[in-house]
Amino acid sequence: MWSLKPSYGTARPKAQGKTIAPARPTSRLSTRLRRIALWAVGLAVFLPAAVVLIYAVAPPPATPLMIVRLFEGDGQVGGWRRDWVPLEEISPQLPWAVIAAEDNLFCEHWGFDTASLQEAVQDLRSGERPRGASTITMQTAKNLFLWPGRSFLRKGIEAYLTPFLEVLLSKRRILELYLNIVEWGPGIYGAEAAAQAHFSRSAADLTQGQAALLAAVLPNPRRWSAGRPSPYIRERAAALQLRIEQLGPLLDCARPAR
């Protein structure tokens, strides 16, 4: 006879609705990579910010350029001359001349001169040598943190670091840092050492003409000398003195506090 009992070997009917698959565990590798990425982002943000905040109140002990120059061995570096002085002890003629020479809109921009950057990009596209678009803030970031030389990598890092200075420091502090670490000749760093080396006087006593000569050699201070200026440097310094008068209110952030 045929059995009416259900066969236990037959398939059971499927439950209605969608089958919910168990959640897949997060890969250990992806978790580790995520943590590494978070640490990298944190270091990229907080480390520069911490260093800049330190430099907001303390002078930097040295810069990468100073260290590189010591080990270049090119026969030009005759020691290391540098004396930190506050901005109030530097003749106002010097920051005015430097702004006139390097960055006319320093007091107005937020770290980047967008018009000059656009012109530099147009020069690159047309195959011409790009004109300088580096601001005083960008140069300060480069001098404080980066190596000398020209490369897109260095310029990219310089552009990344520039907003940290603009956000965390005042314009006067940026000027103070710049004027105390910039190279003004082989082994000569900062306004005080430059004034003593080239004019045998303190930075506080620089005249307008002497300040203009110092600013005039900044594009290449190892080739040109403010103390022994060539006719080209004298002409450039004279043009800077005229430009200072034309800038007027654009120099307000560099005027002595009253």
Side-chain angles (χ1 to χ4, degrees):
M1 293 180 65
W2 296 97
S3 174
L4 298 177
K5 293 181 179 181
S7 173
Y8 291 101
T10 58
R12 297 182 179 179
K14 293 183 179 180
Q16 294 182 351
K18 296 182 179 179
T19 302
I20 301 176
R24 303 179 71 179
T26 304
S27 167
R28 290 184 178 181
L29 178 60
S30 62
T31 301
R32 189 170 299 173
L33 291 175
R34 191 179 297 112
R35 288 177 179 174
I36 292 174
L38 288 174
W39 273 102
V41 171
L43 285 175
V45 173
F46 292 109
L47 186 59
V51 176
V52 170
L53 286 173
I54 291 173
Y55 290 161
V57 294
T63 67
L65 177 64
M66 297 175 189
I67 303 301
V68 167
R69 292 290 192 233
L70 286 177
F71 291 94
E72 275 186 339
D74 60 0
Q76 294 189 47
V77 178
W80 182 335
R81 300 180 61 179
R82 179 186 174 220
D83 297 298
W84 179 276
V85 290
L87 189 61
E88 290 73 19
E89 296 180 18
I90 298 175
S91 168
Q93 299 292 342
L94 185 58
W96 297 345
V98 168
I99 291 174
E102 300 287 290
D103 185 3
N104 291 181
L105 298 177
F106 171 73
C107 293
E108 302 292 320
H109 63 59
W110 48 277
F112 303 98
D113 185 343
T114 53
S116 296
L117 285 172
Q118 290 173 357
E119 291 175 357
V121 171
Q122 290 175 358
D123 290 342
L124 282 173
R125 288 177 176 175
S126 61
E128 300 178 5
R129 183 176 179 179
R131 67 198 75 185
S134 182
T135 64
I136 288 175
T137 311
M138 295 173 69
Q139 293 179 53
T140 305
K142 176 194 70 176
N143 290 340
L144 283 174
F145 296 103
L146 303 175
W147 62 95
R150 296 178 180 272
S151 69
F152 286 110
L153 173 62
R154 201 216 67 191
K155 293 297 291 185
I157 300 174
E158 176 185 310
Y160 172 74
L161 294 172
T162 295
F164 285 93
L165 273 65
E166 284 286 338
V167 171
L168 299 175
L169 303 179
S170 67
K171 289 287 189 179
R172 289 184 63 80
R173 181 60 177 179
I174 294 172
L175 268 177
E176 187 173 61
L177 286 166
Y178 179 79
L179 293 174
N180 274 285
I181 62 177
V182 69
E183 186 179 34
W184 253 303
I188 301 172
Y189 302 97
E192 183 65 24
Q196 296 287 353
H198 293 298
F199 304 113
S200 300
R201 63 175 57 199
S202 69
D205 297 327
L206 288 170
T207 66
Q208 185 185 66
Q210 292 166 342
L213 287 170
L214 286 171
V217 303
L218 280 177
N220 197 337
R222 292 164 68 81
R223 176 185 175 187
W224 299 320
S225 170
R228 297 183 300 277
S230 65
Y232 167 74
I233 292 300
R234 289 187 182 278
E235 182 179 348
R236 177 173 164 81
L240 289 178
Q241 293 183 67
L242 292 176
R243 190 180 302 170
I244 291 171
E245 297 178 4
Q246 295 169 353
L247 289 176
L250 292 177
L251 298 173
D252 285 349
C253 71
R255 299 190 188 281
R258 296 180 179 177

